[in-house]
Amino acid sequence: MDRKAALLGGVLAIAGLSSPAQAAATFVWTCNIEGAPARLTARVEAISPAGVYMDPQGFFAGSIASGEVNFYYGGSLVSASARYSFTGQNQYADFVDLQSNARFRVQMIVQGRSLVMVVNPFGPGPVRYACQLAS
């Protein structure tokens, strides 16, 4: 299991889900966005792809786990002055401002019960926001 799977797998374990390879959960984070509180709600699903093999007649004969885990998520970020929706895969999410329709990319870095959001991680001017797991 690579680093990203271990990090989000740890968060899923906090929520009481034993197997990050086939788990789904909703998380709520309290974030500090430029000094103002915001609530980030994310539905996270962990999926482990598998290779399928067929018998000589072309029928399903089994599968082999690939050992990797992909995380898919979507949700919202709401503060007193802004509302965003987002969808993402693994460490990156695409956010949409629901008032202006502006779009931007965010890197999501899970560190135990903390989440760091890096807005525009590839530029211009990346900005970091800290969040704490609320539930």
Side-chain angles (χ1 to χ4, degrees), residues 21 65 84 101 113 117:
Y84 303 92
N101 207 33
R113 296 181 63 85
M117 295 189 309

Side-chain angles (χ1 to χ4, degrees), residues 86-126:
F86 65 89
T87 59
Q89 180 179 348
N90 297 326
Q91 279 192 315
Y92 295 96
D94 294 313
F95 277 65
V96 176
D97 183 323
L98 297 176
Q99 295 169 332
S100 69
N101 207 33
R103 297 167 187 270
F104 53 93
R105 170 125 327 153
V106 175
Q107 182 179 12
M108 311 285 256
I109 303 169
V110 176
Q111 300 170 330
R113 296 181 63 85
S114 299
L115 169 69
V116 175
M117 295 189 309
V118 181
V119 177
N120 296 323
F122 307 109

Side-chain angles (χ1 to χ4, degrees), residues 9-106:
V11 172
L12 289 171
I14 289 169
L17 299 169
S18 60
S19 173
Q22 297 180 358
T26 299
F27 298 96
V28 177
W29 305 82
T30 301
C31 303
N32 180 346
I33 308 295
E34 297 178 5
R39 178 183 173 108
L40 185 138
T41 304
R43 171 89 175 146
V44 181
E45 185 174 3
I47 298 175
S48 180
V52 174
Y53 59 95
M54 310 302 264
D55 67 14
Q57 289 76 34
F59 295 105
F60 175 78
S63 64
I64 301 171
S66 68
E68 65 183 285
V69 177
N70 292 306
F71 297 96
Y72 299 91
Y73 47 93
S76 63
L77 176 65
V78 179
S79 72
S81 61
R83 295 180 56 85
Y84 303 92
S85 68
F86 65 89
T87 59
Q89 180 179 348
N90 297 326
Q91 279 192 315
Y92 295 96
D94 294 313
F95 277 65
V96 176
D97 183 323
L98 297 176
Q99 295 169 332
S100 69
N101 207 33
R103 297 167 187 270
F104 53 93
R105 170 125 327 153
V106 175

